[in-house]
Amino acid sequence: MDLAKYVDYFKSMRNREIPWTSMDGEDGILQMGYPKYDEQMLQFIREFKESSDFDPRYKKTLRHYHIRVKMNHLTIGQVMLVKEMPLYKAMLSLIVTAEQVDAGSWAKALQEGYLYQVTKAIVSEEQTRV
């Protein structure tokens, strides 16, 4: 997969607000629905899940490197310090699958720069191998 074509997009999405749907609850209180992701984000998710870069055993890979299966500043920092391609891909796989169990995970990964950091690291590592 050509992750390089998404690095600038992820960089531009840092600290940017992601719109959410909203709905009126039965009690009249406004409730948040789900994030409205743009087509570029959805295209990235589709491509990555179908690519050989996706690690279906990402939990096992993360644990192998003694990284908790969480998406936060601490775990991203640990991944960046280890500088191992399998770990980068496992972390990216975790991010990509997180939305299924936690609505807004992709929004957080975009806003906090997690997607940018990990894809940039993968692209940089691939370029040094060439």
Side-chain angles (χ1 to χ4, degrees):
M1 175 176 180
D2 182 13
L3 290 173
K5 70 182 182 180
Y6 292 102
V7 172
D8 287 338
Y9 166 71
F10 292 144
K11 183 177 184 179
S12 74
M13 294 302 288
R14 294 178 301 165
N15 300 315
R16 188 175 292 177
E17 282 295 317
I18 307 293
W20 284 64
T21 63
S22 60
M23 55 192 133
D24 291 323
E26 292 177 16
D27 54 6
I29 297 175
L30 186 67
Q31 297 177 341
M32 294 307 288
Y34 51 88
K36 295 191 278 187
Y37 297 111
D38 62 25
E39 186 54 40
Q40 192 164 5
M41 179 62 182
L42 298 175
Q43 180 65 32
F44 163 75
I45 296 299
R46 284 189 295 269
E47 281 184 38
F48 185 77
K49 281 183 174 178
E50 294 173 5
S51 76
S52 60
D53 291 329
F54 179 76
D55 178 1
R57 299 168 51 107
Y58 66 89
K59 290 179 184 178
K60 185 175 183 177
T61 305
L62 290 167
R63 287 187 194 114
H64 173 78
Y65 287 93
H66 307 288
I67 306 288
R68 293 186 68 196
V69 183
K70 285 187 154 288
M71 184 182 69
N72 58 34
H73 288 292
L74 177 64
T75 56
I76 295 292
Q78 290 170 330
V79 167
M80 294 297 108
L81 287 173
V82 175
K83 297 180 181 178
E84 292 284 336
M85 186 65 85
L87 187 53
Y88 292 150
K89 291 179 180 181
M91 190 71 224
L92 196 51
S93 299
L94 167 65
I95 293 169
V96 164
T97 59
E99 188 77 13
Q100 296 168 329
V101 293
D102 186 18
S105 293
W106 295 343
K108 180 180 179 181
L110 286 166
Q111 292 168 324
E112 297 290 331
Y114 302 156
L115 281 165
Y116 171 63
Q117 288 177 280
V118 177
T119 55
K120 182 180 168 194
I122 292 171
V123 169
S124 294
E125 183 71 23
E126 288 174 342
Q127 290 174 344
T128 60
R129 291 181 179 183
V130 175

